[in-house]
Amino acid sequence: MRILILGGGWFLGRTLAKDALARGWDVEAFTRGRSGRPPAGVRHIVGDRTKEADLHRLANEGPWDAVVDTSAYEPIDVAHVTNTLGDRIDQYVLVSTVSAYQDWPATAVDETSPLWPSAPTYTENSPELASMTIGERYGTLKAGCEIAATTGAARSLIARPGVILGPGEYVGRGLKLLERAAQGRRWLLPAPSEQPIQPVDVRDVSRFLLDAIEHRLDGAYNVVAPEDHATYGDLIDMCLKLTGHRAQPTWVDPQWLIEHGVRQWTEIPLWRTPEGTWKVDGRQAAKAGLTCRPLSDTMQDFKLALDRDGLIEHPRQNQLGLEPEREAHLLAEWDKMSGARQR
């Protein structure tokens, strides 16, 4: 089996490359070479997917049984790849996102739910996107990437993950939760602790995609953990266990947090109140072979990798977490309000 990874230097792309090598596959990675490096054993082709000459040079390196696109953002770039590589690839595997669903996270979604209206010609600067929020724009672009991938010459498989965690994660969600747990003192958290969550381990995503390539699977799949996989409280408990139980969780009313301007998803990672956030139907992927290891294994292995390899710097890490002074102020306000209610 011979595959080409568009990306391959970070997190999912790197995990895919390592796992494919372990299967004895021939693996090539196409990146700009500006940050991150594919693992040893991968043939690294340096180039820019937005440059026609680089794509034509890449096409001459084929053919491949599959291309796995982990770096797609603008639909027009996916269209250029599919048009240029053409019959040099047998299958196009696109890593999309649940954000491509127009109704997510407001309501529960499955693979039949409508996607954002989009087009394979869209770019980030397309006038049709000008009035959209950041989230709407992101979802629309990803939906356009799917259109471009499925209208190309190759067979296509669309993977729509939600949150991916595990070794090598650099966005900062797992990192910020572990860091906060290690700081000790009272920890402001959104109730209820029993809120189900569906993060999936990067290694489970990788195994699912490589199995899908091997079995020539096509179609679209929500690559998420089952709805009963874990709770937010389980995640917090694991962070506390891994850092010596230094912090004391204080679970507060999420509506109160919203009223006090706490930003969901960023100031408190993985907290989001819309009903459909953690109601993504993953049964179709499970039937196709997706299995999800316990969240405790994901977080434990993430910390082991972090301790071994060090922090992977990423700009988004600075956007996550509450400042200590702000958190202390919010806790004091919560105590004051709670005390007044008890009198």
Side-chain angles (χ1 to χ4, degrees):
M1 191 73 70
R2 186 180 186 217
I3 67 168
L4 170 68
I5 300 174
L6 303 181
W10 298 110
F11 198 32
L12 176 57
R14 187 175 178 85
T15 303
L16 281 163
K18 290 171 64 176
D19 291 350
L21 287 173
R23 296 182 183 217
W25 296 7
D26 293 327
V27 184
E28 292 166 305
F30 181 69
T31 80
R32 293 179 298 176
R34 297 178 184 175
S35 61
R37 296 286 298 181
V42 173
R43 182 165 176 261
H44 188 194
I45 304 171
V46 178
D48 189 331
R49 65 184 296 160
T50 67
K51 295 182 179 179
E52 186 175 348
D54 287 358
L55 287 179
H56 281 291
R57 177 169 53 83
L58 175 64
N60 291 332
E61 303 289 341
W64 298 275
D65 295 293
V67 169
V68 186
D69 192 345
T70 67
S71 60
Y73 179 57
E74 293 188 311
I76 197 168
D77 292 338
V78 177
H80 287 159
V81 171
T82 57
N83 290 337
T84 304
L85 298 188
D87 59 4
R88 309 299 284 169
I89 56 177
D90 183 50
Q91 183 181 33
Y92 200 102
V93 179
L94 176 71
V95 180
S96 183
T97 169
V98 296
S99 294
Y101 291 115
Q102 189 171 15
D103 297 331
W104 186 87
T107 62
V109 294
D110 61 25
E111 286 84 356
T112 67
S113 299
L115 304 182
W116 282 98
S118 193
T121 54
Y122 279 1
T123 71
E124 192 171 24
N125 297 318
S126 293
E128 294 87 349
L129 282 62
S131 62
M132 292 183 174
T133 65
I134 292 175
E136 292 169 347
R137 189 159 57 244
Y138 177 67
T140 299
L141 289 172
K142 284 294 191 176
C145 289
E146 293 191 17
I147 295 171
T150 54
T151 55
R155 293 183 304 107
S156 61
L157 181 137
I158 307 297
R160 296 181 186 132
V163 172
I164 304 178
L165 297 177
E169 189 260 320
Y170 57 82
V171 174
R173 291 161 178 158
L175 171 69
K176 290 300 181 180
L177 290 171
L178 281 175
E179 283 184 343
R180 178 59 191 87
Q183 290 169 9
R185 68 182 186 275
R186 293 174 66 198
W187 188 0
L188 183 71
L189 291 163
S193 62
E194 300 83 11
Q195 170 64 54
I197 59 175
Q198 297 178 275
V200 62
D201 191 292
V202 64
R203 296 163 294 183
D204 296 334
V205 178
S206 174
R207 183 177 63 251
F208 174 76
L209 294 180
L210 296 179
D211 286 349
I213 291 169
E214 196 165 8
H215 298 135
R216 299 174 63 85
L217 195 66
D218 57 13
Y221 297 86
N222 294 329
V223 185
V224 297
E227 290 186 39
D228 61 354
H229 183 65
T231 68
Y232 199 83
D234 293 334
L235 176 61
I236 298 304
D237 287 345
M238 194 62 201
C239 291
L240 292 169
K241 179 180 178 181
L242 291 170
T243 55
H245 292 280
R246 299 175 190 170
Q248 301 85 47
T250 300
W251 298 92
V252 309
D253 181 358
Q255 187 59 41
W256 184 89
L257 291 172
I258 293 171
E259 291 170 357
H260 284 74
V262 178
R263 296 193 301 276
Q264 300 181 49
W265 213 246
T266 53
E267 286 193 303
I268 301 182
L270 301 188
W271 166 55
R272 210 168 192 171
T273 57
E275 183 179 350
T277 301
W278 301 113
K279 290 185 177 180
V280 179
D281 190 339
R283 289 176 295 179
Q284 188 163 301
K287 289 179 183 177
L290 175 66
T291 57
C292 297
R293 70 195 69 202
L295 181 60
S296 57
D297 291 358
T298 298
M299 293 304 295
Q300 180 172 291
D301 293 346
F302 169 69
K303 189 174 187 303
L304 287 172
L306 190 64
D307 293 342
R308 181 186 66 239
D309 303 329
L311 176 65
I312 301 172
E313 297 288 349
H314 191 276
R316 285 178 64 182
Q317 293 169 7
N318 298 324
Q319 303 170 13
L320 300 177
L322 279 165
E323 292 295 329
E325 297 80 5
R326 175 163 160 74
E327 184 180 34
H329 173 74
L330 288 166
L331 282 165
E333 290 295 312
W334 173 256
D335 290 344
K336 187 187 306 181
M337 186 273 296
S338 299
R341 283 183 176 176
Q342 293 171 4
R343 287 198 295 271

